[in-house]
Amino acid sequence: ATMKDWKEFDRSKVYMADLESGLHYLLRVELASHHTLEGEELVAFKDFVTVVAKLFPGRQPVVKLLETLLEWLTSLPLEKIPYDAILDLVNNKMRISGLYLTDHVQWVSCQGSSMTLRGYPCSLWTLFHILTAQAAQRPDALANTGLFYDPQAVLQTMRRYITTFFGCQECGKHFEAMAKESMNSVKSLDEAVLWLWRKHNQVNSRLAGAMSEDPVFPKTQWPTPDLCPTCHEEQNGLHVWKEDMVQVFLKKHYSAANISPKYSS
Ligand code: FAD
């Protein structure tokens, strides 16, 4: 983005424009490289749509679009779904009933200082933080789906999505290694929120100073003290996280009430 397109935003907020842009990119660009979905891919995609349709605190037409997509996917007796059928549903069938998802990207808190930086991966992290926080706030939301009462439901769905579809395969490998190590030990919906936060910070520290880092958005251990002063503590001269405070902060930061509609057209 050039300075001309720069969008002012508040770092203490989450932007609906980033989340909708991310969903647009996922459904219309990332998935498009898979001509047909079958087997593991189909399971990964169905679980993803289930979790997003049930937990994403989005605008009504977008949530309805996701619910319609889910109904369609679950009603199909097919073992194989051509990607074109999904695209046709998202683009054409739904538009007739006014269910519309933006057809271009508009990054706000995920905007980068150049076209190749930030954007989609940033929105995907944001989406999954929102989903783990929503699952912890509304534990009944996944009732009547195969994912109910599983404290790892959102994390395992993210894991399958990332390893199956995420365009950055290197990222998928790294994430799978972290998942294998400790995702199975997550015992509650609250722990799932913290697990994702901890792993995201681990990724931030690995990537600090790397080529993929946007100089305007250096990788930090997040939330920084200005965003959450009570999350930090010093013990014997060493920094420690106050995880109970981090938990409270994450649930608030990634809550529906903290999503700004600004810039979402
Ligand atoms: P991001 O890391 O994308 O974070 C987005 C926003 O989330 C931040 O602006 C901040 O508001 C918030 N945030 C930051 N840290 C946390 C936290 N700990 N908890 C909650 N919220 C937080 N890139 C690589 O080059 N190599 C990799 O191996 C790699 N692996 C990835 C694995 C996954 C699963 C994903 C989704 C992305 C991966 N990426 C990888 C991309 C990389 O992590 C960043 O998304 C990308 O570099 C853009 O960074 P960013 O500055 O927008 O911040």
Side-chain angles (χ1 to χ4, degrees):
T2 60
M3 286 309 282
K4 182 171 75 66
D5 314 313
W6 187 260
K7 291 175 202 73
E8 288 303 324
F9 71 98
D10 178 348
R11 287 195 195 223
S12 70
K13 294 214 158 297
V14 172
Y15 288 80
M16 193 58 90
D18 288 319
L19 297 162
E20 290 183 1
S21 295
L23 285 172
H24 151 70
Y25 187 93
L26 185 152
L27 290 170
R28 297 208 186 88
V29 183
E30 188 151 79
L31 228 51
S33 65
H34 298 249
H35 293 289
T36 46
L37 302 186
E38 60 182 311
E40 296 282 291
E41 288 186 349
L42 189 54
V43 174
F45 183 62
K46 269 190 192 168
D47 284 353
F48 175 79
V49 176
T50 303
V51 162
V52 186
K54 300 288 181 189
L55 291 171
F56 178 54
R59 296 193 289 175
Q60 203 262 337
V62 175
V63 170
K64 197 81 189 94
L65 183 149
L66 293 163
E67 284 171 347
T68 311
L69 180 57
L70 177 60
E71 275 165 33
W72 179 76
L73 284 171
T74 38
S75 68
L76 282 178
L78 303 176
E79 314 223 309
K80 255 192 213 188
I81 298 186
Y83 169 70
D84 285 346
I86 296 171
L87 187 66
D88 185 50
L89 194 83
V90 171
N91 283 351
N92 305 321
K93 296 222 172 55
M94 297 201 194
R95 195 167 294 191
I96 298 165
S97 31
L99 305 181
Y100 176 75
L101 175 67
T102 181
D103 61 2
H104 60 278
V105 297
Q106 161 103 304
W107 306 118
V108 181
S109 73
C110 285
Q111 70 193 309
S113 63
S114 90
M115 285 283 288
T116 55
L117 296 169
R118 309 192 74 227
Y120 179 62
C122 167
S123 73
L124 209 53
W125 276 121
T126 309
L127 177 65
F128 281 109
H129 287 300
I130 295 251
L131 297 175
T132 53
Q134 284 291 310
Q137 307 279 39
R138 305 192 288 127
D140 290 340
L142 292 173
N144 306 320
T145 73
L147 302 169
F148 193 31
Y149 277 132
D150 177 358
Q152 296 168 16
V154 173
L155 295 180
Q156 296 288 1
T157 299
M158 172 178 182
R159 176 184 190 173
R160 278 193 291 272
Y161 185 85
I162 296 290
T163 52
T164 314
F165 296 106
F166 193 37
C168 168
Q169 289 178 3
E170 189 64 23
C171 304
K173 281 198 196 119
H174 282 132
F175 192 73
E176 178 55 29
M178 295 193 301
K180 215 176 199 165
E181 200 177 77
S182 59
M183 194 182 272
N184 286 337
S185 65
V186 170
K187 299 275 185 324
S188 71
L189 294 166
D190 275 356
E191 279 181 39
V193 173
L194 277 182
W195 187 91
L196 193 59
W197 161 76
R198 207 175 291 119
K199 295 301 150 185
H200 191 170
N201 269 342
Q202 220 167 294
V203 174
N204 292 344
S205 99
R206 182 163 52 77
L207 296 179
M211 285 280 289
S212 57
E213 183 178 65
D214 188 328
V216 178
F217 296 90
K219 298 276 187 277
T220 56
Q221 293 300 289
W222 191 95
T224 47
D226 59 315
L227 280 178
C228 181
T230 56
C231 291
H232 301 263
E233 205 175 37
E234 211 177 89
Q235 279 174 12
N236 307 322
L238 288 177
H239 173 265
V240 287
W241 289 105
K242 290 188 70 184
E243 295 201 343
D244 48 341
M245 289 295 135
V246 173
Q247 177 78 256
V248 171
F249 175 81
L250 289 169
K251 281 193 188 160
K252 195 166 149 278
H253 183 79
Y254 289 114
S255 69
N258 200 40
I259 305 180
S260 166
K262 205 174 169 193
Y263 302 112
S264 36
S265 43

